[in-house]
Amino acid sequence: MNDSIQCRVPQRDVALCTTFLGCLIIISMAFSACSPASQETPAASANVSPSASDQTEARRQIEAAAIGIWQAVARGDSAAILAEYADDAIILGSGAPMLKGKPAVAAFLQGLFGGNTLRDVKGNVTDIMISGDLAVETGTYAMTVIPKNGNAVADNGKYIHVWKKSVDGSWRVVRYVPNSDIPPR
């Protein structure tokens, strides 16, 4: 009698769970990094809280930059996309290794735009949450990807950008997590 138990979980379910867990971890890291230190007094914490007008301005900057990224994707403009990314940015794409740093992001974009034509690109910012110097943008996307040697694929999905405020006051993408609605094969 065989005492070992085998559990067969469909690969799609594993990928979905991994993606979901990854998103939860990133969001939880973003919010835990934004929470004030426990030694701060309430008065000290209140002094560093951004005002409503600061939050509105940050939201405006992030949304404008996000829209600019999607417009640059539609044009195949790597330089415009990279201008919005921090030097230490990380991309966590499904079914691919983690991309760390701007050179890795640049190489990815070069391959994406060099090997494919993108049509009907649309990005939609659905939510922006801001806490201190970090912000989490949630959105949806749709596009048609036409490989140089293949058939067109209509893709749509959702994504998260984590933004960090730079010392110069600008906001830069430090994490990008795309998640296609197309089930893995």
Side-chain angles (χ1 to χ4, degrees), residues 70-107:
W70 286 111
Q71 291 170 341
V73 169
R75 293 189 310 271
D77 187 348
S78 296
I81 296 166
L82 290 171
E84 300 299 341
Y85 275 68
D87 291 339
D88 60 348
I90 296 175
I91 295 179
L92 304 164
S94 296
M98 182 184 324
L99 302 175
K100 291 183 179 181
K102 219 176 221 186
V105 174

Side-chain angles (χ1 to χ4, degrees), residues 4-164:
S4 68
I5 298 174
Q6 291 186 353
C7 178
R8 293 182 183 240
V9 177
Q11 190 65 21
R12 188 178 117 216
D13 291 346
V14 171
L16 182 60
C17 289
T18 304
T19 301
F20 179 73
L21 237 94
C23 289
L24 286 178
I25 290 168
I26 288 170
I27 291 169
S28 115
M29 285 176 13
F31 285 113
S32 65
C34 294
S35 61
S38 59
Q39 291 96 351
E40 287 183 359
T41 63
S45 182
N47 290 336
V48 296
S49 295
S51 68
S53 63
D54 290 343
Q55 289 258 335
T56 300
E57 178 57 21
R59 215 175 287 288
R60 186 198 64 72
Q61 287 177 13
I62 291 166
E63 185 166 17
I67 290 168
I69 289 171
W70 286 111
Q71 291 170 341
V73 169
R75 293 189 310 271
D77 187 348
S78 296
I81 296 166
L82 290 171
E84 300 299 341
Y85 275 68
D87 291 339
D88 60 348
I90 296 175
I91 295 179
L92 304 164
S94 296
M98 182 184 324
L99 302 175
K100 291 183 179 181
K102 219 176 221 186
V105 174
F108 165 76
L109 292 172
Q110 181 180 5
L112 175 67
F113 297 137
N116 303 285
T117 300
L118 304 181
R119 293 223 172 104
D120 305 318
V121 175
K122 292 176 182 61
N124 180 42
V125 176
T126 57
D127 185 45
I128 298 172
M129 298 181 297
I130 303 169
S131 182
D133 289 343
L134 289 177
V136 177
E137 167 209 349
T138 306
T140 60
Y141 70 86
M143 67 182 78
T144 300
V145 181
I146 306 167
K148 294 263 188 255
N149 299 317
N151 297 321
V153 176
D155 186 18
N156 62 309
K158 55 266 176 211
Y159 69 91
I160 291 177
H161 277 138
V162 178
W163 298 78
K164 186 173 184 181

